[in-house]
Amino acid sequence: MNMMPKAFGMFARDDNYIYRTQAQLVWGNGVNSLGLIIMLNPGSSKLKDNVLWGNIEEKIIDTAQGELILDETMKAIVNILSDSHPKLDGVLHIRNLFNIKDSDANSALGLYKDYCQGAITADEELMHTDFKALLTPPTGHPMLIDTENPWIWLGWTVEDKGFLNKRKKEVWDLCSKLSDVEVFAIYSRAQKFKDAGKTIHTYHPCPQNPNDKMRYRAEMGELMKGYWKRVPSGKKCM
């Protein structure tokens, strides 16, 4: 049976917004990568250290890192992974399509639309993870280095918006070219996307509707169980 993992993250801020540039869920010794999940944007998770968090909220400091309070999305991810494997030991890396912290998805999408259309400005390195650099080694070949991230879980949103679709496609194209790396997702069930086959629109791991949340947990849990059966060590399929 799995123990509850610890969560860690790194934050930065500018004059207007807080960004979470990376996060991890760590089980056991937390040495090897279990995989990478890419979602929409950071939600309500914050640092456990109230003083440190208050300092970044109040603009006393502009960067901070440390242990996090698990938000509902992180708890949903923990449940899915714990369902799929009885003895997790390693690190789940968490990244997002964009890094601005906002627990309201509609509000976050509004801010990101404004950013994409030039209505607000932000440092590109704060707003976006460089997935090309993250997923592509210096040789330029589209492969993950060694067994760094043996699988990638796509769980951003099924929202079909032009400004967001450009970012989805950019990341999707990088992931789809990776060699010997499993890509997991629950794809949109909308008929217009089903007719077109696989889609860049994937469900988020923590839907607001309780029934949808249970359905996602069951479906993704089965996908993950299938992976662990094929690859018990968590290495890439060869």
Side-chain angles (χ1 to χ4, degrees), residues 109-121 161-164:
L109 286 169
L111 289 172
Y112 189 58
K113 180 179 180 180
D114 287 345
Y115 169 77
C116 292
Q117 295 180 346
I120 62 173
T121 58
K161 298 181 182 295
F163 67 90
L164 184 63

Side-chain angles (χ1 to χ4, degrees), residues 61-126:
I61 56 177
D62 56 17
T63 61
Q65 61 181 309
E67 189 172 353
L68 305 177
I69 298 171
L70 272 70
D71 61 15
E72 290 305 307
T73 296
M74 287 182 172
K75 291 175 184 177
I77 292 167
V78 169
N79 286 336
I80 291 166
L81 285 175
S82 295
D83 289 347
S84 72
H85 196 291
K87 294 182 180 179
L88 293 167
D89 186 9
V91 181
L92 175 69
H93 298 280
I94 301 173
R95 298 293 188 276
N96 298 92
L97 290 181
F98 60 96
N99 295 331
I100 196 163
K101 184 181 175 335
D102 193 328
S103 59
D104 184 318
N106 289 328
S107 172
L109 286 169
L111 289 172
Y112 189 58
K113 180 179 180 180
D114 287 345
Y115 169 77
C116 292
Q117 295 180 346
I120 62 173
T121 58
D123 189 318
E124 170 70 12
E125 292 186 2
L126 294 182

Side-chain angles (χ1 to χ4, degrees), residues 3-219:
M3 300 291 288
M4 182 64 72
K6 289 188 175 182
F8 300 91
M10 297 179 64
F11 298 87
R13 74 159 304 133
D14 57 20
D15 288 341
N16 299 306
Y17 307 108
I18 295 175
Y19 308 83
R20 193 186 70 201
T21 53
Q22 59 176 283
Q24 299 85 32
L25 287 169
V26 182
W27 285 264
N29 294 324
V31 176
N32 298 318
S33 174
L34 294 171
L36 165 68
I37 183 169
I38 305 173
M39 294 184 286
L40 181 64
N41 75 294
S44 60
S45 179
K46 62 181 184 178
L47 293 168
K48 266 191 171 182
D49 186 326
N50 288 327
V51 174
L52 191 59
W53 184 248
N55 285 342
I56 198 166
E57 282 193 312
E58 297 300 322
K59 304 183 184 179
I60 297 170
I61 56 177
D62 56 17
T63 61
Q65 61 181 309
E67 189 172 353
L68 305 177
I69 298 171
L70 272 70
D71 61 15
E72 290 305 307
T73 296
M74 287 182 172
K75 291 175 184 177
I77 292 167
V78 169
N79 286 336
I80 291 166
L81 285 175
S82 295
D83 289 347
S84 72
H85 196 291
K87 294 182 180 179
L88 293 167
D89 186 9
V91 181
L92 175 69
H93 298 280
I94 301 173
R95 298 293 188 276
N96 298 92
L97 290 181
F98 60 96
N99 295 331
I100 196 163
K101 184 181 175 335
D102 193 328
S103 59
D104 184 318
N106 289 328
S107 172
L109 286 169
L111 289 172
Y112 189 58
K113 180 179 180 180
D114 287 345
Y115 169 77
C116 292
Q117 295 180 346
I120 62 173
T121 58
D123 189 318
E124 170 70 12
E125 292 186 2
L126 294 182
M127 182 64 79
H128 286 148
T129 294
D130 185 346
F131 283 106
K132 185 173 182 180
L134 181 67
L135 300 178
T136 308
T139 57
H141 295 295
M143 306 171 58
L144 290 177
I145 301 171
D146 194 24
T147 55
E148 174 78 16
N149 293 305
W151 48 259
I152 299 174
W153 175 357
L154 305 180
W156 36 60
T157 177
V158 294
E159 290 282 348
D160 182 17
K161 298 181 182 295
F163 67 90
L164 184 63
N165 292 349
K166 181 179 178 181
R167 178 65 169 164
K168 287 182 183 180
K169 188 174 187 309
E170 174 189 337
V171 178
W172 167 255
D173 286 347
L174 284 169
C175 293
S176 65
K177 293 174 183 175
L178 297 172
S179 301
D180 300 320
V181 176
E182 298 257 355
V183 176
F184 299 109
I186 305 296
Y187 296 98
S188 173
R189 296 183 181 89
Q191 194 61 48
K192 64 178 180 178
F193 300 132
K194 290 173 70 175
D195 290 343
K198 278 193 175 181
T199 168
I200 58 173
H201 305 299
T202 69
Y203 289 102
H204 189 273
C206 190
Q208 291 186 346
N209 183 294
N211 291 331
D212 291 341
K213 188 173 182 178
M214 290 176 62
R215 181 177 182 177
Y216 188 100
R217 178 174 176 175
E219 292 183 359

